[in-house]
Amino acid sequence: MTIDLRHYLNREQSFIKHSFLTRYLQGAAYKIFLGRTKVFNFVDAFAGPWETNDKDNFSDASFDQAINTLEAVRSDLAARGVSGLRVRFCLCEKRPEAVARLRQYAAQRKEFEIHVFEGKFEDNLDGIAAKLPDGFTFTFIDPTGWDIQNDLVFGFLKNRAANGGEFLLNFMADHINRHAEYPGVVASIGRFLADPLWEPDFKALPQALSNQDKVLTLLERKMKARGVAKYLPNLAIMLPRQDRVKMRLVLGTFSAEGLEVFRDIQAKVEREEIEIRNNLRDGENPQISLFSTDDIAAMQQDTLGVGCKTNCNRAAELIVDALRKSEPIAFKTLAVEILESIPIRKTQLKTVVNEMKKAGRVTFDLPPRCKAPQEDTPIRLPANGSFGF
């Protein structure tokens, strides 16, 4: 599905968010339908519509994009002989005027199974669950703030995870960064973290961390402790015209494959974001450049983005640290640990490991004609104890 950037004037960060969502949904739907189940459920927990510019078709709203993306996958597979595929949609919104628009939208698209729920997401969890008795569920949680009763939401997500379900959370980093230490938000952040006594843990974290990093760290700890997800990679989306993080998209999954897809798609949308930010800057301050827009974006991504030198060096350090604790470790085990915490693609990580071997920092054997570590390749530290520093 192609998203029209023209509908996102002055909210380009939402374009990047939706670009990631639709790309991930497309990849997930093909894998789910072809390998796991014939039922794909999509839950939009804070459906809106919000600041949509396409008032007639809602093409710049997450729910319309999800419906069109998943239907395109279903139709494509059906045309190729994969029968019996089913997609369900549950859209939740608390504002009555927005709910009315959702119901009108659902009535106009009766060919789809769309269930609209009025009220807070937390108050509709049982009703939503009743509409999703089977299949894979992807839950999109995109609030405007952080006042969410996650103690209840975590239970819902854990139940969906039992069937391999995943979720994508929009963590409102910029708002949290500015307000996390205000006395007036203690209770609401406690609800968000499912921990009313969160402040001592917050203060115990390293002072060098920003407020958003501290809150996100506590949130990830709680979600893993509650069995909501095994892996929680995230990507930062910047304010379009400022060098400040606006939001972070956090994927919750138990799938190592989902983790790989997350980083692959992150690299693609990151390039889109760089190009958009450059175009906005150049529009305000026109300059003559010897390089094309694509070349400039590629150079910037190589400097700061997914798989950049800094991230490759961080990955190498984590590999050595892990091997010092226990070795050998299969490449696939190292990969999931690295990919969750560092923006790097699996193909790039294989290059890192190869370079580490050349430098004498690790050692491993490959089957004939293989040039990179395989999934089950044991990675070890050199026998002489030298790590190549």
Side-chain angles (χ1 to χ4, degrees):
M1 174 182 174
T2 301
I3 303 175
D4 192 340
L5 180 58
R6 293 173 297 179
H7 291 314
Y8 291 86
L9 180 63
N10 295 322
R11 58 187 190 102
E12 291 83 3
Q13 69 276 2
S14 293
F15 172 86
I16 299 301
K17 174 179 64 178
H18 289 163
S19 179
F20 182 92
L21 173 67
T22 54
R23 287 174 185 268
Y24 191 87
L25 281 178
Q26 182 183 55
Y30 276 111
K31 288 181 174 62
I32 295 303
F33 281 144
L34 291 174
R36 191 183 303 174
T37 177
K38 291 190 173 185
V39 179
F40 194 113
N41 305 310
F42 178 80
V43 177
D44 199 329
F46 298 82
W50 297 95
E51 298 176 7
T52 53
N53 287 320
D54 186 359
K55 305 297 184 183
D56 296 326
N57 301 311
F58 301 112
S59 64
D60 52 338
S62 56
F63 59 84
D64 182 76
Q65 292 167 2
I67 287 172
N68 291 329
T69 298
L70 294 174
E71 172 58 18
V73 174
R74 190 205 64 78
S75 296
D76 176 52
L77 291 176
R80 290 192 265 162
V82 183
S83 61
L85 303 181
R86 182 179 182 182
V87 185
R88 305 187 186 105
F89 302 93
C90 290
L91 314 180
C92 187
E93 174 56 44
K94 69 178 183 179
R95 296 169 300 144
E97 69 278 9
V99 173
R101 297 173 73 189
L102 285 178
R103 287 178 173 154
Q104 182 180 14
Y105 173 89
Q108 293 171 346
R109 309 202 69 174
K110 291 183 178 180
E111 70 273 27
F112 301 111
E113 183 179 343
I114 304 174
H115 306 282
V116 177
F117 295 83
E118 182 172 3
K120 292 182 178 181
F121 180 49
E122 308 94 297
D123 295 339
N124 281 287
L125 298 175
D126 290 342
I128 293 171
K131 298 295 184 181
L132 313 175
D134 56 2
F136 170 90
T137 300
F138 187 92
T139 306
F140 183 45
I141 306 171
D142 186 17
T144 56
W146 62 81
D147 195 358
I148 311 166
Q149 196 170 348
N150 270 335
D151 184 56
L152 298 175
V153 174
F154 289 170
F156 174 86
L157 295 177
K158 182 178 180 179
N159 289 337
R160 308 286 79 70
N163 290 324
E166 298 180 336
F167 65 88
L168 187 67
L169 166 68
N170 180 12
F171 178 81
M172 300 300 290
D174 190 39
H175 292 168
I176 287 174
N177 208 45
R178 289 184 284 120
H179 297 107
E181 293 186 290
Y182 286 7
V185 302
V186 171
S188 61
I189 290 185
R191 289 190 288 273
F192 183 65
L193 294 174
D195 181 6
L197 303 178
W198 62 277
E199 287 185 287
D201 290 335
F202 178 89
K203 293 175 181 177
L205 291 169
Q207 292 300 308
L209 292 179
S210 65
N211 286 344
Q212 61 164 293
D213 287 332
K214 290 179 182 179
V215 174
L216 183 55
T217 297
L218 296 181
L219 181 66
E220 290 173 343
R221 287 180 184 174
K222 181 64 70 172
M223 288 194 288
K224 288 187 176 183
R226 291 284 299 269
V228 171
K230 184 175 182 180
Y231 308 116
L232 292 162
N234 75 82
L235 69 92
I237 298 177
M238 306 294 288
L239 283 162
R241 295 168 176 80
Q242 300 178 45
D243 291 326
R244 196 168 81 233
V245 175
K246 173 65 176 178
M247 61 185 74
R248 290 185 180 273
L249 297 183
V250 182
L251 177 72
T253 182
F254 281 85
S255 167
E257 188 176 43
L259 187 57
E260 294 173 31
V261 173
F262 181 93
R263 293 304 185 196
D264 288 343
I265 295 175
Q266 179 182 2
K268 294 175 183 177
V269 299
E270 182 180 74
R271 180 70 69 86
E272 287 181 320
E273 181 181 38
I274 292 171
E275 291 178 356
I276 289 170
R277 285 166 58 81
N278 286 344
N279 290 335
L280 291 172
R281 180 203 63 201
D282 293 344
E284 296 170 356
N285 301 290
Q287 299 180 29
I288 297 176
S289 175
L290 298 176
F291 301 99
S292 70
T293 300
D294 288 343
D295 288 338
I296 293 172
M299 287 186 289
Q300 290 176 327
Q301 189 170 38
D302 288 343
T303 302
L304 298 171
V306 174
C308 69
K309 184 176 181 180
T310 297
N311 288 329
C312 287
N313 288 340
R314 289 173 59 205
E317 291 169 3
L318 285 182
I319 288 171
V320 171
D321 288 344
L323 292 174
R324 282 173 172 163
K325 297 174 184 176
S326 174
E327 62 167 336
I329 301 177
F331 173 76
K332 63 182 178 182
T333 303
L334 285 172
V336 293
E337 180 178 338
I338 303 301
L339 265 63
E340 181 183 19
S341 58
I342 296 179
I344 187 171
R345 300 175 65 194
K346 194 170 184 178
T347 54
Q348 295 167 330
L349 186 62
K350 289 185 176 183
T351 300
V352 169
V353 174
N354 276 341
E355 292 298 321
M356 292 177 72
K357 183 179 181 181
K358 291 178 183 178
R361 300 184 69 182
V362 299
T363 182
F364 54 87
D365 298 317
L366 295 178
R369 294 186 295 277
C370 287
K371 297 182 179 180
Q374 306 300 294
E375 291 292 276
D376 58 354
T377 299
I379 312 296
R380 297 178 174 86
L381 294 175
N384 60 10
S386 171
F387 306 129
F389 292 107

